[in-house]
C-alpha cells in the first residue's frame, strides 16, 4: 500500500510543479510567467477570503463572541470538503483510470482504498489549514493565547476533513450501488448534483433573506452577514455537534480542553478508519464493476432504429458539441448550473418575501416607480450575468484534448469548426438565461416587454463575451488533460474568461450610468451601449474567423 | 500519389530533429510500408502528411494538391487511422460513423453501402449501436478503420493498423489494403510487423533518426543487401547506421 500511496502523492506534487506545466513545455519563460500569473490570481482569491474572515472576526469580536468565528471556520471547512469534494472523491474512487491497472498489482482492496483516501485527505487537510489559519491567528492574537493553543490548532485542523471525507465516501458507495442498479449512472449523477446544488442554494437563500436591516448600508451588511453566519452556525452545530468539541478544544483550558481535543480527533480518525474497515474489502470489486457496467448494459441493449439523415458538417459538429455538454456530467454541471441556480435564487427570494421581508413582496409595486428604460437595463445586466458563469464556450477547444489531432485531419474549414463551437456556446448561454427570464416574465407581468427587450440585449452582450472566451481558449488551449474534470474545472484560462465576462458586464453597467450622468436619456444610453456591443460582436466574430481560425487549426497537441 | 519535398520537423525548440530533410515519392496504386525503430520519426511523418503537425520546412503533396496551400482539398483526399484511440467515447459506433460521413459529405446511399460492407467485413455489426467506450482495443481500431474508409479516399493512411486486431480482422485488413491499391488508390502504412510488410508492400521505406535510409521494392532492397528476409535487412540497416 505504501509504495502506491507514495506514487499518488508524487503524482499530485508533479501536477503543481511549474516545470511540468503545458506552458513550460513550450518555453521556460512562458511557464514561469504563467505560474506567476496563476499564483497571483490564487493569492488574490485567498486575500479575498482572508479579508472576509477578518471582517467577520471583527464583527464577532464586537458582539463578544470571537470563539464563534473559530467554529464557523470549522463549519466552512467541513462544508467545503463535502461540497467541493463530492465529485472529486466520487471520480477518484470509481472512475479513475488507474483502477484496472492497480487491480492487477499485489495491493489489497482495503490498502487501495486507504491509499486513495489518505491522498485525498492530505489535499483537503492543506485546504483546511489554509482556510483556518487566518482565523486561528486572529483569535490567538486577539485573545492573547499561548503556544499551546497554536500547537493544538495545528494538530486539530488537518483532522477536520476526515469526517466529511468519510461521509462522502459512504455516499459515493451508496450512489454507485444505486446508479449501477438504475443503469443510468451519468443522467442520475447530473440530476442528483443539480438537486444537491438547488437544495444548497435554496437553504442559503432562505438564510440570507430571513434577516433584514435598513440601517446604514455597510454596517447593515456586516450585521446581516454576522447574523446569517450565526444562524448557519446554530443550525449546523445542531446537526453536527462535534463542531462544539473543536471550538472547546481550542478555546477552553486544561483537562476540559484536552477531552474536547481528544473527542474531536478520535471522532475524525475513527470515522475514516470505520469507513475503510467497513467498505475497504468491497471497494476494488465495486470499482471494477463500474468498468463492466457499460458492457453489461450494452449486452442487453436493443438495436435502435437509426434515424440519422445527412447533415452539413456545421450541423454535425454543432450537434456533437452540444451533445457532449449534456452527456458528460462534469461538463453539464459547469455549463448549465446557472440555468438552475438563478431561478432557484429568484424563487427562494419570492418565497421568503411573504413571511420575513415585506419589502420584497412590495417589489413589483416598487418597480412601477422605476423608469421602464432602467428596468430594461437591469434585466439586460441580470440576464447577461446568468450567462457569464458557464464554461461551455471558454473550454470548447480545451475539451478536444488529444482529439484536436483528429479535428486537424478533417476537411472542414477551421472557421466552420469554430462557428460550431460558438453556436454551441450561444445555445448554452440561451439555455442559462432563459429560465431566469421566464421567472421574471411571469413574476413581473407589468414589465414583460422590458424583460423581452432586456433578454435580447443580454444575448448581444453574452455573444461578445463568448467570442472573446473562445478566442482565449484557441490561443491558450489545455489539451493535456487526463480527466474531463481537469479539462473544464482546472482550466485557469476559462476561470479568467468567466471573471472577465463578469467584469465586462460591470464595466458596461458603469458606462451606462456614466452616460446617464452626462445627460443622455436612459433609453439612449442603453441603445448606445447595445450598438457598441453589436459592433464589437461583428468585429470580434470577424477576427475569430480570420486570424484566430488560422491559429486554431495550426495548434499542435504536445505530449 | 504522395510526395514529400525536403520536409523537416524539430521538437524541443530545435534540439531534436524528428524528421530530417525527408524526400519521398510514392506512386498511386501502391501499398507503401513505412518502417523504422521506435522514435525514428514514422508517426511524426504521418502526422505531418495528415495535417496534424506543421512541418518546419518543406512541402507535402497529396494527389498533386499541396497540403499547406489547399488543406481542405488535400484532407478530402485521405482517410486516416491513427495509432491512438482518442475517440468520442460517449458516441455509439454508428453515431461516430455518421458524424464522419457528414463531415466528408458522403451521400446517404453511399454511406449506407460502405457501412454495410465494412461492418460485415470487420465483424462489428452487432456492436455498432453501443457506446464506443464499451469497446475493446481491437473494436475501437476496427471502428477507426471503417471510419477512415467511409468516404473511399484516394489515399489510405494507417499508423500501426495491426495493433490490437484479431487474426481474422488482420487478414481482412490486409486483403482490403491489397484490394484498395489494386483499384488505383494508394495505401501508406507504418508497421513494426516486418512479415506483413514483406508480404503486403509494393514498396517500403526505412526511416531512422528522422532520415530516410532506404526506399524501394522489398525484394530489390533485400537482394542489394544480400539478405533473404526483410527482418535481416531492417536489422542490418538500422544497426549499421546506429
Amino acid at each position: 500500500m505504501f509504495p502506491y500511496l507514495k506514487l499518488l502523492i508524487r503524482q499530485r506534487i508533479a501536477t503543481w510543479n511549474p516545470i511540468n506545466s503545458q506552458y513550460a513545455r513550450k518555453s521556460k519563460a512562458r511557464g514561469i510567467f504563467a505560474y506567476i500569473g496563476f499564483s497571483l490570481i490564487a493569492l488574490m482569491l485567498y486575500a479575498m477570503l482572508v479579508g472576509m474572515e477578518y471582517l467577520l472576526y471583527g464583527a464577532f469580536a464586537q458582539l463578544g463572541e470571537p470563539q464563534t468565528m473559530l467554529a464557523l471556520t470549522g463549519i466552512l471547512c467541513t462544508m467545503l470538503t463535502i461540497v467541493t469534494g463530492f465529485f472529486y472523491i466520487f471520480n477518484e474512487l470509481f472512475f479513475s483510470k488507474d483502477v484496472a491497472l492497480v487491480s492487477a498489482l499485489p495491493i489489497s482492496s482495503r490498502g487501495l482504498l486507504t491509499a486513495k483516501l489518505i491522498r485525498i485527505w492530505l489535499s483537503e487537510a492543506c485546504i483546511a489549514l489554509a482556510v483556518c489559519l487566518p482565523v486561528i491567528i486572529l483569535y490567538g492574537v486577539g485573545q492573547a493565547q499561548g503556544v499551546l493553543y497554536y500547537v493544538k490548532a495545528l494538530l486539530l485542523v488537518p483532522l477536520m476533513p476526515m469526517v466529511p471525507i468519510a461521509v462522502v465516501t459512504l455516499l459515493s458507495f451508496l450512489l454507485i450501488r444505486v446508479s449501477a442498479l438504475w443503469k443510468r449512472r451519468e443522467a442520475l449523477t447530473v440530476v442528483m448534483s443539480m438537486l444537491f446544488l438547488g437544495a444548497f442554494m435554496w437553504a442559503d437563500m432562505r438564510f440570507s433573506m430571513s434577516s433584514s436591516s435598513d440601517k446604514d448600508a455597510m454596517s447593515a451588511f456586516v450585521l446581516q452577514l454576522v447574523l446569517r453566519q450565526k444562524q448557519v452556525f446554530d443550525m449546523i452545530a445542531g446537526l453536527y455537534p462535534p463542531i462544539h468539541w473543536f471550538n472547546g478544544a481550542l478555546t477552553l483550558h486544561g483537562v476540559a480542553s484536552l477531552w474536547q481535543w481528544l473527542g474531536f480527533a478520535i471522532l475524525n480518525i475513527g470515522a475514516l478508519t470505520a469507513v475503510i474497515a467497513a467498505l475497504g474489502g468491497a471497494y476494488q470489486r465495486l470499482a471494477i464493476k463500474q468498468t463492466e457496467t457499460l458492457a453489461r448494459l450494452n449486452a442487453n441493449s436493443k438495436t435502435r432504429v437509426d434515424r440519422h439523415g445527412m447533415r452539413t458538417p456545421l450541423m454535425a459538429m454543432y450537434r456533437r458539441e452540444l451533445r457532449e455538454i449534456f452527456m458528460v456530467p462534469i461538463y453539464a454541471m459547469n455549463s448549465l448550473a446557472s440555468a438552475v441556480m438563478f431561478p432557484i435564487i429568484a424563487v427562494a427570494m419570492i418565497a421568503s418575501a411573504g413571511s420575513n421581508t415585506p419589502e420584497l413582496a412590495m417589489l413589483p409595486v416598487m418597480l412601477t416607480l422605476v423608469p421602464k428604460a432602467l428596468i430594461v437595463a437591469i434585466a439586460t445586466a441580470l440576464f447577461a450575468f446568468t450567462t457569464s458563469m458557464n464554461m461551455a464556450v471558454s473550454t470548447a477547444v480545451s475539451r478536444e484534448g488529444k482529439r484536436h489531432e483528429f479535428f486537424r485531419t478533417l476537411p472542414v474549414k477551421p472557421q466552420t469548426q469554430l462557428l460550431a463551437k460558438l453556436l454551441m456556446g450561444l445555445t448554452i448561454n440561451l439555455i442559462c438565461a432563459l429560465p431566469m427570464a421566464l421567472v421574471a416574465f411571469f413574476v413581473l407581468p407589468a414589465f414583460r416587454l422590458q424583460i423581452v427587450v432586456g433578454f435580447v440585449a443580454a444575448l448581444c452582450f453574452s455573444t461578445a463575451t463568448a467570442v472573446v472566451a473562445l478566442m482565449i481558449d484557441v490561443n491558450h488551449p489545455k489539451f493535456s488533460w487526463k480527466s474531463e474534470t481537469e479539462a473544464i474545472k482546472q482550466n485557469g484560462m476559462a476561470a479568467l474568461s468567466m471573471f472577465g465576462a463578469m467584469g465586462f458586464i460591470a464595466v458596461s453597467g458603469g458606462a451606462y450610468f456614466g452616460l446617464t450622468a452626462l445627460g443622455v436619456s436612459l433609453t439612449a444610453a442603453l441603445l448606445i451601449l447595445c450598438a457598441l456591443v453589436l459592433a464589437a460582436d461583428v468585429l470580434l466574430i470577424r477576427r475569430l474567423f480570420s486570424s484566430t481560425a488560422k491559429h486554431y487549426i495550426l495548434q499542435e497537441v504536445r505530449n | 500519389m504522395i510526395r514529400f519535398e525536403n520536409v523537416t520537423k524539430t521538437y524541443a525548440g530545435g534540439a531534436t530533429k524528428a524528421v530530417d530533410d525527408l524526400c519521398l515519392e510514392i506512386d498511386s496504386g501502391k501499398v507503401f510500408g513505412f518502417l523504422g525503430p521506435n522514435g525514428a520519426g514514422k508517426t511524426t511523418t504521418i502526422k505531418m502528411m495528415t495535417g496534424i503537425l506543421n512541418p518546419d520546412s518543406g512541402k507535402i503533396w497529396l494527389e498533386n494538391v499541396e497540403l499547406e496551400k489547399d488543406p481542405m482539398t488535400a484532407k478530402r483526399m485521405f482517410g486516416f487511422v491513427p495509432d491512438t484511440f482518442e475517440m468520442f467515447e460517449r458516441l455509439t459506433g454508428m453515431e461516430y460513423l455518421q458524424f464522419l460521413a457528414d463531415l466528408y459529405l458522403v451521400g446517404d446511399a453511399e454511406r449506407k453501402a460502405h457501412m454495410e460492407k465494412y461492418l460485415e467485413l470487420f465483424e462489428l455489426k452487432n456492436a455498432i449501436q453501443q457506446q464506443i467506450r464499451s469497446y475493446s482495443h481491437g473494436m475501437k481500431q476496427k471502428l477507426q478503420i471503417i471510419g477512415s474508409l467511409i468516404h473511399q479516399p484516394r489515399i489510405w493512411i494507417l499508423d500501426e493498423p495491426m495493433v490490437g486486431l484479431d487474426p481474422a480482422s488482420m487478414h481482412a485488413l490486409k486483403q482490403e489494403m491489397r484490394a484498395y491499391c489494386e483499384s488505383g488508390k494508394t495505401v501508406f502504412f507504418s508497421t513494426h510487423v516486418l512479415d506483413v510488410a514483406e508480404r503486403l508492400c509494393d514498396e517500403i521505406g526505412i526511416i531512422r533518426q528522422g532520415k530516410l535510409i532506404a526506399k524501394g521494392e522489398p525484394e530489390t532492397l533485400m537482394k542489394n543487401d544480400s539478405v533473404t528476409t526483410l527482418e535481416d535487412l531492417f536489422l542490418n540497416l538500422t544497426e549499421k547506421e546506429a
Side-chain angles (χ1 to χ4, degrees):
Chain A
M1 184 196 91
F2 289 106
Y4 179 59
L5 176 62
K6 217 163 100 183
L7 185 84
L8 287 176
I9 294 169
R10 273 190 180 171
Q11 204 178 336
R12 192 69 185 159
I13 293 168
T15 57
W16 290 100
N17 189 341
I19 296 163
N20 298 331
S21 80
Q22 53 167 333
Y23 299 104
R25 268 176 249 153
K26 290 176 189 168
S27 107
K28 271 189 183 160
R30 276 185 76 181
I32 292 164
F33 279 123
Y35 207 73
I36 292 171
F38 286 127
S39 304
L40 282 175
I41 292 171
L43 269 176
M44 214 169 71
L45 291 172
Y46 186 59
M48 280 165 70
L49 174 80
V50 174
M52 184 62 92
E53 287 181 342
Y54 182 77
L55 195 75
L56 276 171
Y57 178 79
F60 276 111
Q62 271 187 349
L63 286 174
E65 287 188 39
Q67 73 282 1
T68 308
M69 189 58 204
L70 275 178
L72 205 63
T73 319
I75 287 172
L76 179 72
C77 281
T78 310
M79 293 297 289
L80 206 69
T81 313
I82 291 180
V83 175
T84 61
F86 183 77
F87 279 107
Y88 176 52
I89 294 171
F90 191 59
N91 272 314
E92 196 76 6
L93 292 183
F94 295 106
F95 300 107
S96 70
K97 289 187 175 172
D98 66 351
V99 168
L101 172 78
V102 173
S103 299
L105 300 176
I107 309 171
S108 70
S109 173
R110 194 161 280 118
L112 212 60
L113 183 66
T114 310
K116 286 201 170 206
L117 290 182
I118 289 177
R119 222 278 290 132
I120 291 166
W121 166 68
L122 283 173
S123 302
E124 297 297 327
C126 290
I127 295 170
L129 270 174
V131 172
C132 288
L133 268 182
V135 176
I136 284 165
I137 293 168
L138 279 171
Y139 183 85
V141 173
Q143 304 301 310
Q145 295 283 346
V147 181
L148 187 65
Y149 158 80
Y150 292 102
V151 174
K152 279 192 293 185
L154 282 177
L155 289 174
L156 207 58
V157 170
L159 301 180
M160 197 182 285
M162 284 184 167
V163 166
I165 290 173
V167 170
V168 171
T169 305
L170 195 66
L171 278 176
S172 41
F173 268 75
L174 285 173
L175 189 65
I176 214 80
R177 289 295 307 165
V178 174
S179 60
L181 283 175
W182 286 10
K183 295 180 176 176
R184 287 285 176 270
R185 191 178 59 217
E186 298 205 320
L188 184 78
T189 313
V190 173
V191 170
M192 286 189 69
S193 309
M194 289 290 186
L195 285 176
F196 181 68
L197 188 71
F200 190 76
M201 291 306 300
W202 176 275
D204 195 57
M205 285 311 295
R206 293 287 295 184
F207 281 114
S208 57
M209 289 294 112
S210 59
S211 58
S212 67
S213 172
D214 53 359
K215 304 273 175 355
D216 170 58
M218 191 57 197
S219 61
F221 170 73
V222 173
L223 185 65
Q224 188 179 347
L225 205 62
V226 169
L227 290 174
R228 182 185 158 198
Q229 300 311 322
K230 187 87 175 70
Q231 279 181 317
V232 173
F233 168 68
D234 289 341
M235 187 194 80
I236 295 174
L239 290 172
Y240 185 52
I243 208 72
H244 286 302
W245 305 347
F246 170 74
N247 225 18
L250 297 185
T251 54
L252 296 176
H253 298 281
V255 183
S257 162
L258 182 72
W259 281 120
Q260 307 256 9
W261 194 97
L262 277 174
F264 193 74
I266 290 168
L267 174 84
N268 277 283
I269 296 169
L272 204 59
T273 313
V275 162
I276 291 169
L279 306 173
Y283 168 63
Q284 202 169 8
R285 202 161 14 97
L286 208 55
I288 290 170
K289 220 171 177 181
Q290 289 319 301
T291 57
E292 296 169 6
T293 307
L294 270 163
R296 281 188 278 121
L297 190 67
N298 283 333
N300 300 324
S301 72
K302 290 174 188 151
T303 305
R304 282 180 294 175
V305 180
D306 185 33
R307 289 193 216 98
H308 195 288
M310 262 187 81
R311 294 193 181 96
T312 60
L314 174 66
M315 190 47 72
M317 299 198 97
Y318 166 72
R319 272 175 56 94
R320 194 205 65 77
E321 293 280 348
L322 209 57
R323 276 182 60 134
E324 191 177 58
I325 293 291
F326 284 96
M327 289 182 75
V328 183
I330 196 79
Y331 293 170
M333 280 302 297
N334 282 277
S335 303
L336 302 168
S338 47
V340 178
M341 205 168 70
F342 288 103
I344 285 173
I345 294 174
V347 172
M349 281 173 76
I350 295 159
S352 309
S355 52
N356 300 318
T357 49
E359 63 270 34
L360 263 176
M362 295 291 288
L363 189 67
V365 183
M366 282 157 65
L367 278 177
T368 56
L369 304 172
V370 179
K372 291 201 165 178
L374 187 60
I375 290 175
V376 177
I378 294 168
T380 306
L382 179 70
F383 300 145
F385 184 72
T386 58
T387 65
S388 65
M389 286 174 74
N390 88 69
M391 288 180 153
V393 76
S394 58
T395 54
V397 179
S398 295
R399 288 197 315 272
E400 288 178 1
K402 289 190 176 155
R403 290 175 306 180
H404 180 66
E405 292 193 338
F406 164 82
F407 288 104
R408 285 192 62 159
T409 68
L410 295 177
V412 181
K413 285 182 181 170
Q415 287 85 349
T416 310
Q417 298 194 30
L418 288 183
L419 181 59
K421 290 181 194 302
L422 182 63
L423 288 176
M424 173 276 299
L426 296 181
T427 310
I428 298 292
N429 280 351
L430 193 76
I431 292 170
C432 287
L434 199 61
M436 190 60 199
L438 285 174
V439 169
F441 190 83
F442 288 110
V443 170
L444 304 168
F447 304 100
R448 283 184 173 165
L449 178 67
Q450 287 72 28
I451 287 161
V452 171
V453 176
F455 182 69
V456 174
L459 295 182
C460 297
F461 280 83
S462 65
T463 303
T465 53
V467 179
V468 172
L470 187 55
M471 284 161 88
I472 292 173
D473 199 31
V474 166
N475 286 299
H476 305 280
K478 183 181 180 176
F479 289 134
S480 58
W481 49 266
K482 295 202 170 52
S483 70
E484 284 146 344
T485 313
E486 229 182 296
I488 195 160
K489 265 183 99 83
Q490 293 161 16
N491 191 325
M493 284 298 167
L496 205 66
S497 296
M498 188 174 77
F499 290 124
M502 289 172 182
F504 172 66
I505 295 160
V507 168
S508 301
Y512 176 78
F513 286 108
L515 282 171
T516 55
L518 288 173
V520 181
S521 74
L522 292 170
T523 311
L526 186 65
L527 279 175
I528 290 170
L529 275 180
C530 284
L532 284 174
V533 170
L534 265 177
D537 285 347
V538 173
L539 291 174
L540 285 167
I541 289 172
R542 280 184 61 165
R543 188 168 171 80
L544 180 76
F545 293 153
S546 54
S547 57
T548 312
K550 275 182 208 156
H551 192 65
Y552 164 70
I553 209 66
L554 293 177
Q555 280 281 16
E556 288 182 3
V557 178
R558 286 161 201 265
N559 294 314
Chain B
M1 188 275 287
I2 302 166
R3 185 146 59 98
F4 288 84
E5 196 180 285
N6 307 105
V7 174
T8 300
K9 176 74 185 176
T10 54
Y11 288 130
T16 317
K17 276 194 177 177
V19 174
D20 189 1
D21 202 28
L22 179 71
C23 294
L24 176 66
E25 191 166 334
I26 301 147
D27 294 329
S28 297
K30 284 193 171 164
V31 177
F32 183 83
F34 201 40
L35 315 176
N38 293 330
K42 298 188 295 297
T43 297
T44 302
T45 305
I46 288 176
K47 281 186 172 179
M48 283 193 289
M49 70 192 285
T50 51
I52 293 171
L53 290 176
N54 318 313
D56 295 338
S57 61
K59 288 172 181 173
I60 300 167
W61 279 270
L62 301 171
E63 297 290 321
N64 292 322
V65 179
E66 195 184 329
L67 184 64
E68 200 188 349
K69 278 194 180 156
D70 189 359
M72 290 306 118
T73 313
K75 286 174 185 180
R76 232 174 273 284
M77 297 287 179
F78 66 79
F80 175 45
V81 181
D83 64 339
T84 52
F85 301 98
E86 302 297 341
M87 296 178 98
F88 303 96
E89 301 256 310
R90 280 180 172 80
L91 297 182
T92 64
M94 177 56 83
E95 285 167 342
Y96 174 70
L97 293 181
Q98 295 282 14
F99 174 60
L100 280 177
D102 285 336
L103 299 182
Y104 284 96
L105 308 170
V106 183
D108 250 349
E110 205 184 339
R111 70 173 70 178
K112 204 176 166 194
H114 294 159
M115 275 183 209
E116 266 175 23
K117 178 185 167 187
Y118 293 116
L119 287 173
E120 193 78 51
L121 185 68
F122 290 104
E123 296 171 349
L124 206 63
K125 215 168 185 173
N126 292 334
I128 201 64
Q129 299 290 353
Q130 297 170 4
Q131 279 198 358
I132 297 173
R133 60 186 169 148
S134 71
Y135 285 10
S136 69
H137 189 83
M139 286 161 86
K140 285 180 184 171
Q141 181 72 332
K142 286 181 196 178
L143 188 68
Q144 291 200 126
I145 291 168
I146 298 170
S148 70
L149 292 170
I150 201 87
H151 60 298
Q152 292 288 290
R154 294 281 313 154
I155 301 167
W156 191 14
I157 303 164
L158 307 98
D159 195 0
E160 305 281 356
M162 310 293 173
V163 177
L165 291 184
D166 56 64
S169 303
M170 215 187 280
H171 177 73
L173 178 64
K174 284 186 278 184
Q175 300 276 74
E176 192 53 33
M177 284 163 87
R178 199 67 255 164
Y180 214 73
C181 81
E182 275 160 14
S183 66
K185 293 163 183 164
T186 315
V187 178
F188 183 107
F189 77 108
S190 73
T191 187
H192 287 295
V193 190
L194 297 178
D195 288 347
V196 171
E198 191 175 338
R199 273 182 275 128
L200 193 65
C201 297
D202 299 311
E203 265 192 341
I204 58 160
I206 300 176
I207 188 171
R208 201 187 69 83
Q209 291 179 351
K211 281 185 182 291
L212 190 72
I213 53 173
K215 191 229 167 196
E217 291 174 5
E219 295 79 19
T220 317
L221 289 174
M222 286 189 282
K223 205 172 163 187
N224 290 348
D225 213 57
S226 312
V227 289
T228 50
T229 64
L230 188 57
E231 191 177 12
D232 290 336
L233 174 76
F234 182 84
L235 291 173
N236 272 356
L237 286 173
T238 52
E239 281 171 10
K240 196 195 301 171
E241 293 288 326

